[in-house]
Amino acid sequence: MSFEYQVRDLSLAEAGRHELRLAEHEMPGLMALRAEFGESQPLAGARIAGSLHMTVQTAVLIETLVALGAQVRWASCNIFSTQDQAAAAVVVGSGTPEAPAGVPVFAWKGETLEEYWALAERIFDWGTDAEGHRVGPNMILDDGGDATMLVLEGKRFEAAGAVPATTPDDSEEYAVVLELLRKSLTEDPQRWTRVADGIRGVTEETTTGVHRLAEYHRNGVLPFPAINVNDSVTKSKFDNKYGTRHSLIDGINRGTDILIGGKTAVVFGYGDVGKGCAESLRGQGARVVVTEVDPINALQAAMDGYQVVRLEDVVRTADIFITATGNKDVIMAADIAKMKHQALVGNIGHFDNEIDMLGLSRIPGVEKVEIKPQVHEWRIPAGADGVEAHSVIVLSEGRLLNLGNATGHPSFVMSNSFANQVVAQIEVFTKPDEYPVGVHRLSKKLDEKVARLHLDALGVRLTELTKSQAEYIGINVEGPYKPEHYRY
Ligand code: NAI
């Protein structure tokens, strides 16, 4: 099969390569895994279909997977998150823009929904073998679960023999998926069943994708083992928290440049992401309030010094609204209509259904003005409920703003997340007997290993337990240091 790719502009590759080089230095976990496994090639024979934000950090992940022997095809998991220079650098690899020799990437910043799903489909298309049979991947590396969803929905409809008609309840995006699967069912009625049968496992990056996997498994439709990378401590307690602490305000600043200090900011959800968001906004001098549904998280927020409120308490007075729940319908159009002039609304949760963008577009007389890509002023006319004409700024059309308006999390924290991804890929690919169908986490030993790989870079000098100390607290000198139920 000829070398295929779809990216914005290969002439950006050199600029991308410079950024990759700097990122490698900030990703000691990935570089250590290259050194440890470069020779033994544990991923030889792996054909990985990757669906994860195509950023500079992801480029270092992709090249690590290749260094460990894998073949890889890649798409982004969000229409706005690709960094075109990183995509170009990965495609060019050790070649030139005229003769690229790297990894097939199918992604650019600013895809339409139709393009997004067509590009997602390409990571499952590995050409044909010598006998003319279609080849698929044998591993998925997913972020948010879209790649896994495509395979499982395809398989489900193939078993039923038809793709259902789109209903008014379906989102615009799901209608695009149904259309793609309708076409594929006509062309090859067993395509996704074969793909699913060929997959040895999936490793999932984020909270939302893990929720989806758990639901597939509960419903008995998960056909292969899955590793929940998100809930490695060195992922969710670092990337979700310290990553967003960095990239939330980066997105707000690049998008709008408004002064955050002194403003009232509402953070919806005080989970790992919400904690990072609240801290970063407070660090800028914002007065931060939090909403929660879980009494434990609400109490945590209160003890951390944040007032816990309901949206209705602050909707008319707050300046900045950030959703971080992974839930749907958190800010509705009727809420946005009540906000004050030039309030800022953004989402950092995985999907765009936290904010009711469809409802917003349907407010009678509403007007959408593009200030610049991924920054829109929504002009809301005077209306019922005493609402005066005003406008509200929405970032990244309600999609995750830290990747849409900025460049996502910085390399060092992503080195932790992606070291977990690489370890998870090796585990599930090389030890099928240890990971039956189901949703697994990596062992605490591996979690601790990922942390260890990042200590030297920060000048950390770890205290070593004596044998008698270890015995006294009932663990081994070399770990694991905590029981499974410990929460960090
Ligand atoms: P989490 O489960 O730790 O936290 C979510 C919190 O939201 C929970 O405490 C929950 O009780 C609360 N919540 C749920 N519904 C709510 C509602 N209607 N109102 C107020 N609070 C509500 O999840 P985590 O890890 O914080 O992730 C949140 C979202 O962010 C997920 O979609 C995840 O995939 C995504 N994510 C995004 C990243 C990014 O770079 N943009 C990075 C990591 C995760």
Side-chain angles (χ1 to χ4, degrees):
M1 179 180 192
S2 62
F3 180 47
E4 299 177 312
Y5 58 87
Q6 284 172 272
V7 299
R8 171 86 62 209
D9 180 1
L10 285 191
S11 74
L12 299 171
E14 193 183 342
R17 183 55 55 185
H18 286 310
E19 290 189 39
L20 256 83
R21 214 165 24 80
L22 300 190
E24 284 174 358
H25 179 69
E26 278 284 298
M27 301 189 87
L30 288 184
M31 301 315 275
L33 291 172
R34 286 189 198 182
E36 182 179 349
F37 293 111
E39 210 166 304
S40 59
Q41 297 279 290
L43 293 177
R47 294 186 303 279
I48 302 172
S51 165
L52 193 152
H53 309 291
M54 186 53 253
T55 62
V56 168
Q57 293 70 31
T58 302
V60 182
L61 166 64
I62 293 171
E63 294 189 348
T64 304
L65 295 167
V66 171
L68 271 50
Q71 289 176 273
V72 179
R73 288 170 87 81
W74 211 270
S76 191
C77 64
N78 182 280
I79 59 175
F80 294 136
S81 64
T82 294
Q83 290 158 19
D84 291 317
Q85 77 282 20
V90 172
V91 168
V92 166
S94 56
T96 63
E98 295 71 38
V103 169
V105 174
F106 304 89
W108 56 84
K109 189 174 181 75
E111 297 157 2
T112 64
L113 287 176
E114 284 77 10
E115 287 167 346
Y116 173 82
W117 285 99
L119 296 170
E121 188 270 336
R122 299 303 318 276
I123 63 173
F124 291 100
D125 182 8
W126 292 64
T128 48
D129 64 16
E131 279 110 56
H133 299 127
R134 226 166 164 163
V135 181
N138 52 21
M139 295 291 294
I140 298 175
L141 192 158
D142 218 350
D143 182 353
D146 276 354
T148 305
M149 188 267 266
L150 188 61
V151 176
L152 298 194
E153 288 293 74
K155 180 178 151 95
R156 179 161 77 96
F157 298 141
E158 284 170 6
V163 177
T166 309
T167 72
D169 285 345
D170 290 331
S171 66
E172 184 192 350
E173 181 153 9
Y174 192 59
V176 173
V177 176
L178 290 180
E179 185 52 36
L180 184 149
L181 292 176
R182 226 170 264 132
K183 235 167 101 195
S184 113
L185 191 73
T186 322
E187 285 165 15
D188 181 351
Q190 286 298 297
R191 163 137 197 231
W192 298 103
T193 309
R194 276 199 318 275
V195 170
D197 289 349
I199 300 290
R200 284 202 207 178
V202 54
T203 60
E204 168 56 52
E205 176 80 3
T206 200
T207 316
T208 288
V210 170
H211 289 162
R212 280 176 156 185
L213 286 170
E215 196 178 334
Y216 292 137
H217 191 45
R218 256 195 319 275
N219 296 338
V221 295
L222 183 70
F224 35 70
I227 295 193
N228 164 2
V229 168
N230 182 68
D231 287 297
S232 289
V233 178
T234 47
K235 199 285 183 180
S236 51
K237 300 292 169 188
F238 289 80
D239 161 331
N240 303 26
K241 184 179 176 189
Y242 305 118
T244 50
R245 186 177 68 178
H246 172 106
S247 61
L248 170 72
I249 58 163
D250 192 10
I252 294 175
N253 289 340
R254 293 199 212 191
T256 68
D257 213 16
I258 58 160
L259 185 73
I260 296 171
K263 301 275 169 40
T264 298
V266 191
V267 174
F268 297 79
Y270 199 67
D272 294 320
V273 172
K275 289 181 175 76
C277 293
E279 194 183 337
S280 70
L281 291 162
R282 178 153 75 184
Q284 289 294 307
R287 285 172 290 167
V288 181
V289 299
V290 165
T291 76
E292 251 301 338
V293 295
D294 181 330
I296 297 178
N297 297 70
L299 188 60
Q300 272 185 320
M303 301 289 267
D304 285 340
Y306 302 107
Q307 194 180 352
V308 181
V309 299
R310 290 190 175 175
L311 172 55
E312 69 228 39
D313 304 331
V314 287
V315 69
R316 291 177 194 276
T317 50
D319 304 280
I320 300 171
F321 297 82
I322 303 296
T323 53
T325 69
N327 207 341
K328 63 174 187 167
D329 300 342
V330 177
I331 300 180
M332 301 307 288
D335 304 316
I336 298 178
K338 290 180 196 145
M339 289 175 185
K340 70 182 187 191
H341 185 52
Q342 286 199 7
L344 180 69
V345 180
N347 165 47
I348 195 161
H350 191 79
F351 283 124
D352 61 339
N353 52 357
E354 300 209 23
I355 300 169
D356 176 20
M357 294 303 295
L358 183 65
L360 179 60
S361 68
R362 287 181 180 164
I363 291 179
V366 77
E367 203 187 332
K368 178 183 174 191
V369 179
E370 178 153 302
I371 306 297
K372 61 184 178 182
Q374 284 90 58
V375 181
H376 293 94
E377 177 188 12
W378 287 80
R379 293 186 181 153
I380 300 167
D385 223 8
V387 170
E388 287 176 20
H390 67 298
S391 60
V392 169
I393 311 295
V394 180
L395 297 181
S396 286
E397 312 211 6
R399 293 169 194 274
L400 22 80
L401 74 94
N402 61 327
L403 283 135
N405 297 89
T407 50
H409 299 350
S411 301
F412 193 81
V413 85
M414 294 315 294
S415 178
N416 287 269
S417 307
F418 290 166
N420 277 291
Q421 277 288 2
V422 172
V423 170
Q425 285 280 323
I426 296 174
E427 285 289 300
V428 79
F429 184 69
T430 60
K431 300 175 188 164
D433 295 344
E434 291 180 26
Y435 298 95
V437 172
V439 186
H440 307 268
R441 273 184 294 125
L442 290 176
S443 68
K444 198 161 282 297
K445 195 109 197 137
L446 291 170
D447 217 345
E448 288 173 358
K449 172 180 173 170
V450 169
R452 225 179 255 285
L453 295 177
H454 293 87
L455 298 182
D456 280 352
L458 298 179
V460 172
R461 268 169 49 76
L462 208 56
T463 299
E464 278 178 34
L465 283 171
T466 64
K467 197 158 179 305
S468 90
Q469 281 180 319
E471 276 166 19
Y472 184 67
I473 56 174
I475 60 172
N476 293 320
V477 170
E478 62 284 357
Y481 297 94
K482 298 286 194 297
E484 270 310 311
H485 60 260
Y486 187 79
R487 293 196 175 87
Y488 297 87

